[in-house]
Amino acid sequence: MTNNVADHHPGNSVAEGNHEGDFGCSMVELRNLMELRSAEAVARLNDSYGGVQNVCKRLKTSPVEGLSGNPTDLEKRRQVFGQNFIPPKKAKTFLQLVWEALQDVTLIILEIAAIISLGLSFYHPPGGDNELCGQSTGGVEDEGESQAGWIEGAAILFSVIIVVLVTAFNDWSKEKQFRGLQSRIEQEQKFTVIRKGQVIQIPVAEIVVGDIAQIKYGDLLPADGILIQGNDLKIDESSLTGESDQVKKSLDKDPMLLSGTHVMEGSGRMVVTAVGINSQTGIIFTLLGAGEGDEEKKVKKGKKTGAPENRNKAKTQDGVALEIQPLKSQEGVENEEKEKKKVKVPKKEKSVLQGKLTRLAVQIGKAGLIMSAITVIILVLYFVIDTFGVQGRPWLAECTPIYIQYFVKFFIIGVTVLVVAVPEGLPLAVTISLAYSVKKMMKDNNLVRHLDACETMGNATAICSDKTGTLTMNRMTVVQAYVGDTHYRQIPDPEAILPKVLDLIVNGVAINSAYTSKILPPEKEGGLPRQVGNKTECALLGFVLDLKQDYQAVRNEVPEEKLYKVYTFNSVRKSMSTVLKNGNGGFRMYSKGASEIILRKCTRILDKNGDPRVFKVKDRDEMVKKVIEPMACHGLRTICLAFRDFPADAEPDWDSENEILSDLTCIAVVGIEDPVRPEVPDAILKCQRAGITVRMVTGDNINTARAIATKCGILLPGEDFLCLEGKEFNRLIRNEKGEVEQEQLDKIWPKLRVLARSSPTDKHTLVKGIIDSTVGDQRQVVAVTGDGTNDGPALKKADVGFAMGIAGTDVAKEASDIILTDDNFTSIVKAVMWGRNVYDSISKFLQFQLTVNVVAVIVAFTGACITQDSPLKAVQMLWVNLIMDTFASLALATEPPSESLLLRKPYGRNKPLISRTMMKNILGHAVYQLTIIFTLLFAGEKFFDIDSGRNAPLHSPPTEHYTIVFNTFVMMQLFNEINARKIHGERNVFESIYRNPIFCTVVLGTFAAQIIIVEFGGKPFSCSGLTLSQWFWCIFIGVGELLWGQLICTVPTSHLKFLKEAGHGITKEEIPEEELPEDVDEIDHAEMELRRGQILWFRGLNRIQTQMDVVYTFQTGASSLQGALRRQPSIVSQHHDVKNVSSPTHVALSSVNSTPTTSAVAAAAASPPAGNQSGECVP
């Protein structure tokens, strides 16, 4: 590669002959060219290359036909210019993950304890058998056994290794799953290019330099390129520059298109000049990679403040980077300031569940730490007082090692209490549950991009849904028409329409629509024709075909190059117009758009003879009443077709749009039907039953919207719900200055069901208003669906954003949390079901886990204090911990959801994780288990007629007595695991247990393992074999758990006022007012807790952090730089990460007040919104 070419030649001479692979320009030259902007770029293009057409020549491509698509040619291009792929960051190796799992503080304490124990067991002091050292050594039988003192230490180490491997494997498989998900999202992203004159869609990774790509509204550009031909093209470059204003692109002013930017308006074609790591986004990624090592270290230390400077260093180190920010001077300064401010900014709260879990874990950790400390202190004091005080022995030098061995034993017991108290299984349960749900949700057409969205969905209280495509089928067809003073209730016969009018209709539709919209023959015989591109345009093209005309012929006559000027559709215009130059030098413009908007600009209308006649305001009002309202009340969307001729003498000023778009002549008005999906009314009923309010937000006419909402069941007859238009909505909620007033909004949203003719800003305002509202008893959790570019801000603001997989633009998918692969509303209901299931699974696990914890800690604590030795040995505790934590989390976290989940109201943000009923179950079962264990401990030897295991000397062999205690304990846990399957106090705990094979496997597997441990575990597990009758007693006591569970169910919770709930979410009151800003980065409640000096406890819960880290991995790069570095830079995730680097604070998508634009579909589709000037049936 002659990478230095560019350095030797002066700016504008281009070295011929010296270019790799005989292309007319090298990669470096193109890369340097792409770094220029606007006028500079145009100048360099023309001086050095002689314009875009010549760049195409040098790259051996045709601006019209595209590349030949010959494999050898494509391969050569890949070799010379690189491929369109940004290599992902290396995944962590398994060993790295093992090392991370070893950082867990509790494990480290255990390791140290085990090593000391091992060391001491091999050290036999000379005076070890001295009588004066107390009852430290047992009887004669102990001689052989004392050699086995190392076993306990070794067993602890062994179980630590198992725990570490399980954790590491878990993290590793999750990382792998996440990468799989990312690559799946990547493969699904396709882009339109022209090859051999054919317009085809290829995966983004296959784009090569020299490809001619078609770009249109809503695209995320996959590579850098130069514009060849464009209509009204506006790009949002905020992801690279941080400037939210849209940049107009044109051949003469600024033809440079950059990867990772968004097309907000218009369409065009570009020649690709840089791909992969040579594109602007790629360059930034390479820089990111450079600064990565230090950043990860800094982030690890938790000094988030360290990262920004680092980031700027990375920029200045490399000249290339500076060019990325054209507005360096000012923006750099702003950035510095923002960074200073940024440190103090409190952040938006994390997902509901994470917040609750973190707080709960911190609370449990504290309790465990205190208990274990007390245990150790009591044991040590008791031993010291007893040995040196009561028995009055002197401290002999040669006895020291033996005493130390005692202290180590006490220390190990203390650590074991701590280990059992901390619920390591909690993060495991959460991740297993979420990962399992995400996998299964794929089958239900939900592609989850951010793991926690899945659980937030279970708390959703409101869904704001689009109409087109989500509630309706998005298969538009023209069913009525008004042409030449006649209202046809079905498609008219072509003979009934005059040829000249027919001609106007055909041209007005074929030419004045995106050439990417077409109707293709059906895939299967007898199927419906396929609609490609914008659905509203497809409906009009279908209308032309129904009139037995051919639109393709017209398009072949007038290719896109011949279009003189195009005003593309956007959410402000709500119309589209195309200007053609006539043979005589005059111009003709075809327009189409929402009927009320276009009719307001019409001064004439074609009568039944096809001649224009004057069209006055009163004519218009009459037409609205007679034609448009009846169509709208049937749920039809009305589109008006019109045209205007400009004389040849003087060319109009094309930039003054209002002048141009006036004085039109109306050709026809058509009514387009978009039928409601058959399964939607049922799904909406389910939502309402589940306590979720469904609101429809649409760009359509209010009558159409009301008709559809009634069909769906969003509006019920006889209820006083509001249907508002965007204008009216804004009038009601804004003050004189035009600012949104929350009190006003709070009066409206609870009753609002339909918002029609709404702009993207209205949608965002509504979502934000509902989320920020404090009216109800708890904060609303809002889900939003969107498909258009302009829905980005609303999708981002919502708690859960759903993007449409089929109709959605890249921008919408990028801003969303879940992608609906079938664009169907019923999939949202499925998501709610899964979300609630995740929540319940975790509660089930908690109910089970906490019972084990409470009992094990109390037993270990009291046992140790009364008998100087924990009845449950360290190794047994670790086994209990392993089965109870890891396996139970597997068993309880994989329960499949059932429809009954949709019969209760959502939990809401501040409902505690552990409800009163659960607390009753936990304490009730704990009472049973403690009673049994203490009875066995202090009277078991009499009952079973065996030797007492209490007060055994240090290295004595395991006793049957303590083995029975351990075995009974495990049996009770096993049967209690079945009780834990229900958390709302249901009686039938076996209900549909067969639907969950994992649960059955785990329970039976644990049972089998327990038999092996007791019978063959011997010294390491401190077990000795039991007789059959003893086994039966253990199992019988275990089964008693199920009966006791029924007894607990009978006690009404309402009588137990003293029960506390635990694991609340953070309530509004606890966050100071000024800490509730708008769009700030996220914070987890852990950080809030930490600030209160609880860093110590939390370190002990490091495992929970690491596991949650995984949950973060699934969240956007935007949530932290670490996230950005950890995620695979897929094309989809690129623009967030880039944002993250170039200007940390512009995380929101283009700021909402920049001209909002509409999704390709909802847009040209939505018969474009306007105020309700016609006084239609507004309730």
Side-chain angles (χ1 to χ4, degrees), residues 308-309 311-313 315-316 328-343 1144-1145:
E309 297 89 55
R311 229 181 264 174
N312 293 353
K313 259 182 241 149
K315 281 222 181 90
T316 38
K328 181 69 188 157
S329 52
Q330 188 185 350
E331 176 139 283
V333 179
E334 275 179 21
N335 270 2
E336 295 299 319
E337 284 171 13
K338 281 177 188 156
E339 244 116 54
K340 281 179 207 138
K341 281 185 210 142
K342 204 169 166 155
V343 186
T1145 28

Side-chain angles (χ1 to χ4, degrees), residues 530-545:
R530 281 182 301 158
Q531 300 185 337
V532 180
N534 186 308
K535 297 294 193 273
T536 313
E537 294 186 343
C538 288
L540 294 169
L541 294 171
F543 178 53
V544 170
L545 295 176

Side-chain angles (χ1 to χ4, degrees), residues 364-377 418 861 1097:
I364 296 174
K366 285 182 202 165
L369 205 63
I370 293 167
M371 288 290 271
S372 62
I374 295 175
T375 314
V376 175
I377 293 167
L418 176 64
F861 175 70
W1097 320 120

Side-chain angles (χ1 to χ4, degrees), residues 264-491:
M264 300 307 274
E265 217 175 284
S267 60
R269 288 207 313 277
M270 70 170 188
V271 56
V272 176
T273 54
V275 293
I277 50 173
N278 299 305
S279 66
Q280 294 300 305
T281 310
I283 292 171
I284 293 181
F285 265 101
T286 356
L287 290 182
L288 247 187
E292 194 171 286
D294 337 330
E295 278 182 22
E296 289 236 308
K297 281 183 209 121
K298 288 209 166 135
V299 176
K300 276 231 172 59
K301 283 185 203 145
K303 291 188 183 145
K304 294 260 167 72
T305 33
E309 297 89 55
N310 210 40
R311 229 181 264 174
N312 293 353
K313 259 182 241 149
K315 281 222 181 90
T316 38
Q317 277 158 11
D318 186 332
V320 191
L322 293 176
E323 316 270 21
I324 295 170
Q325 289 191 317
L327 307 153
K328 181 69 188 157
S329 52
Q330 188 185 350
E331 176 139 283
V333 179
E334 275 179 21
N335 270 2
E336 295 299 319
E337 284 171 13
K338 281 177 188 156
E339 244 116 54
K340 281 179 207 138
K341 281 185 210 142
K342 204 169 166 155
V343 186
K344 296 193 207 74
V345 170
K347 306 171 182 175
K348 196 172 75 181
E349 53 197 284
K350 273 262 169 299
S351 98
V352 190
L353 187 68
Q354 279 174 33
K356 292 180 182 178
L357 282 176
T358 314
R359 300 188 78 191
L360 192 68
V362 170
Q363 289 163 355
I364 296 174
K366 285 182 202 165
L369 205 63
I370 293 167
M371 288 290 271
S372 62
I374 295 175
T375 314
V376 175
I377 293 167
I378 290 182
L379 284 173
V380 171
L381 284 178
Y382 190 100
F383 175 77
V384 171
I385 292 169
D386 187 56
T387 313
F388 305 120
V390 181
Q391 299 177 24
R393 295 173 192 276
W395 180 299
L396 298 174
E398 65 267 29
C399 290
T400 308
I402 292 184
Y403 293 147
I404 288 182
Q405 226 165 336
Y406 264 107
F407 289 146
V408 169
K409 181 179 153 191
F410 298 151
F411 179 63
I412 288 184
I413 292 172
V415 172
T416 327
V417 172
L418 176 64
V419 171
V420 176
V422 174
E424 292 95 307
L426 196 57
L428 200 66
V430 177
T431 23
I432 290 178
S433 184
L434 286 173
Y436 172 78
S437 305
V438 167
K439 227 178 179 143
K440 290 274 192 249
M441 282 169 80
M442 286 292 238
K443 294 197 177 75
D444 286 337
N445 303 312
N446 284 301
L447 176 67
V448 182
R449 291 184 65 229
H450 302 149
L451 203 55
D452 58 336
C454 159
E455 148 268 316
T456 314
M457 217 28 230
N459 286 318
T461 53
I463 298 176
C464 296
S465 171
D466 274 354
K467 173 176 81 67
T468 311
T470 316
L471 300 172
T472 60
M473 295 180 41
N474 204 6
R475 243 208 100 78
M476 313 259 183
T477 41
V478 173
V479 287
Q480 297 190 15
Y482 178 84
V483 187
D485 291 347
T486 324
H487 186 169
Y488 298 94
R489 301 290 162 151
Q490 54 256 358
I491 302 244

